[in-house]
């Protein structure tokens, strides 16, 4: 009998959860909250009265606060479609609504809707606490009651939180690594920066070798052709110059080879510098890209 009552209660809770997710603002929870609000307002009035809630309780507190024009503070609230569509109805509300949510909270994605501004609502996104990156931890009310790192003289509390980028990156990483395949993918992607940097270095080294080889082949080819022309000319003029053309030809070949060596070294240096510039730019672009994740 107890099991049966528990099962029935669980079914009712699941049914209400589904109704809220579907956009209903007339669930049994909402009606109960409205009756309670009527009693509290009748007894104490609206002055100095505020409403707060978390998760689906945050969705109910938002509904009550906007309907009765009460100051509201809602944490990772389950905002639904009706809250967004009906926002215009509460455009003249005097009291502000404040939504506090973590970036990847699964219960409050609709809180990002700009339409909520029509009901005097402000959304405050906060970075998650380091080490609390799982979907459940990201949604937890504990995200909004951390241990202060410092309390200032005026009572202001300082808390260390992750940046938006860190929160999103670690949240996605934690979620993906639940599955073995996802864990393997994350393992590979963690190595991607070093792999890309290595590929850039290898490419630069190969480019330098290719450039040096190309220059060397070109210089050797040029030297062979010019040397042949000098030797042929020297031999042709040898009888008329009593052999002096051979000496001059040998000197010309020697000077030509020295000039060729200088050109080869100079071109190699220029090519190396150009490749280094491109390689350096590649490393910077790679670092900048992966810093986004």
């Amino acid at each position: 009998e107890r099991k049966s009552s528990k099962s029935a209660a669980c079914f009712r809770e699941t049914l209400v959860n589904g109704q809220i997710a579907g956009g209903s603002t007339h669930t049994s929870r909402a009606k109960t909250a409205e009756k309670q609000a009527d009693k509290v307002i009748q007894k104490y009035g609206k002055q100095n009265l505020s409403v707060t809630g978390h998760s689906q309780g945050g969705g109910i507190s938002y509904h009550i606060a906007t309907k009765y024009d009460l100051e509201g503070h809602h944490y990772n609230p389950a905002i639904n479609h009706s809250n967004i569509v009906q926002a215009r109805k509460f455009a003249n509300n005097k009291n502000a609504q404040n939504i506090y949510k973590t970036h990847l909270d699964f219960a409050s994605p609709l809180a990002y809707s700009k339409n909520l501004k029509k009901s005097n609502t402000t959304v405050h996104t906060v970075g998650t606490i380091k080490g609390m990156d799982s979907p459940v931890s990201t949604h937890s009310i504990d995200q909004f009651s951390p241990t202060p790192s410092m309390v200032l003289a005026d009572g202001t509390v300082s808390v260390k939180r992750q940046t938006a980028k860190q929160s999103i990156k670690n949240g996605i990483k934690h979620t993906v690594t639940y599955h073995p395949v996802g864990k393997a993918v994350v393992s590979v992607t963690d190595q991607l920066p070093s792999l890309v940097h290595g590929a850039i270095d290898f490419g630069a080294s190969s480019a330098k070798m290719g450039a040096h080889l190309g220059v060397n082949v070109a210089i050797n080819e040029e030297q062979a052709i010019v040397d042949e022309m000098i030797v042929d000319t020297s031999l042709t003029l040898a009888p008329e110059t009593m052999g002096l053309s051979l000496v001059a030809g040998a000197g010309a070949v020697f000077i030509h080879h020295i000039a060729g060596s200088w050109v080869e070294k100079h071109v190699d240096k220029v090519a190396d510098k150009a490749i280094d510039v491109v390689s350096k730019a590649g490393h910077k672009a790679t670092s900048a890209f992966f810093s986004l994740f």
Side-chain angles (χ1 to χ4, degrees):
E1 193 172 321
R2 287 182 179 177
K3 287 183 179 179
S4 177
S5 64
K6 285 184 178 179
S7 298
C10 182
F11 175 77
R12 286 195 296 271
E13 289 295 307
T14 303
L15 180 62
V16 173
N17 290 343
Q19 290 173 336
I20 293 174
S24 176
T25 56
H26 304 289
T27 63
S28 57
R29 290 180 198 165
K31 291 177 181 178
T32 299
E34 288 171 4
K35 290 178 182 179
Q36 185 68 26
D38 287 332
K39 290 180 181 179
V40 173
I41 292 171
Q42 186 176 4
K43 185 173 182 177
Y44 299 103
K46 287 187 177 183
Q47 290 184 343
N48 301 318
L49 183 62
S50 63
V51 186
T52 188
H54 167 256
S55 192
Q56 289 211 9
I60 295 296
S61 67
Y62 185 82
H63 166 67
I64 295 298
T66 52
K67 180 175 181 178
Y68 292 92
D69 193 9
L70 301 171
E71 178 186 337
H73 300 274
H74 322 284
Y75 300 86
N76 280 340
I79 299 296
N80 62 29
H81 178 66
S82 294
N83 298 134
I84 296 172
V85 173
Q86 295 172 9
R88 189 183 294 275
K89 288 172 56 178
F90 310 109
N92 295 322
N93 280 10
K94 294 181 180 179
N95 288 293
Q97 303 307 315
N98 292 280
I99 291 177
Y100 310 90
K101 70 182 301 311
T102 49
H103 297 88
L104 293 181
D105 175 52
F106 62 82
S108 57
L110 294 184
Y112 283 121
S113 173
K114 294 181 179 179
N115 210 49
L116 291 180
K117 290 182 179 180
K118 296 175 182 177
S119 57
N120 196 13
T121 298
T122 302
V123 178
H124 310 271
T125 52
V126 299
T128 51
I129 299 169
K130 190 174 183 179
M132 295 181 66
D133 302 305
S134 72
V136 174
S137 295
T138 297
H139 178 64
S140 173
I141 188 64
D142 292 336
Q143 291 284 357
F144 307 98
S145 58
T147 302
S149 58
M150 184 185 302
V151 180
L152 304 180
D154 62 356
T156 303
V157 176
S158 177
V159 175
K160 288 185 178 179
R161 291 185 177 277
Q162 299 184 105
T163 63
K165 185 176 73 173
Q166 290 171 334
S167 298
I168 295 171
K169 175 184 176 182
N170 292 334
I172 293 174
K173 186 175 181 180
H174 197 289
T175 302
V176 170
T177 52
Y178 273 135
H179 194 280
V181 174
K183 193 171 184 178
V185 171
V186 169
S187 178
V188 172
T189 54
D190 282 344
Q191 299 176 42
L192 273 179
S194 60
L195 291 173
V196 174
H197 284 299
I200 291 172
D201 288 334
F202 178 77
S205 178
S206 299
K208 287 181 180 180
M209 289 178 62
H212 293 176
L213 180 61
V215 172
N216 182 262
V217 170
I219 291 293
N220 287 340
E221 187 69 22
E222 186 273 341
Q223 285 179 337
I225 294 172
V226 174
D227 286 351
E228 185 177 357
M229 291 174 61
I230 293 173
V231 170
D232 287 345
T233 303
S234 299
L235 290 173
T236 302
L237 296 175
E240 298 178 9
T241 60
M242 301 179 65
L244 290 177
S245 63
L246 295 176
V247 176
V253 169
F254 178 72
I255 293 172
H256 178 235
H257 276 251
I258 291 177
S261 297
W262 181 88
V263 170
E264 182 177 0
K265 289 180 181 180
H266 182 70
V267 173
D268 283 344
K269 286 182 180 179
V270 172
D272 286 350
K273 286 183 179 180
I275 293 169
D276 286 339
V277 169
V278 174
S279 176
K280 189 175 181 180
H283 282 301
K284 283 186 176 181
T286 299
S287 298
F289 175 77
F290 283 106
S291 69
L292 299 174
F293 303 95

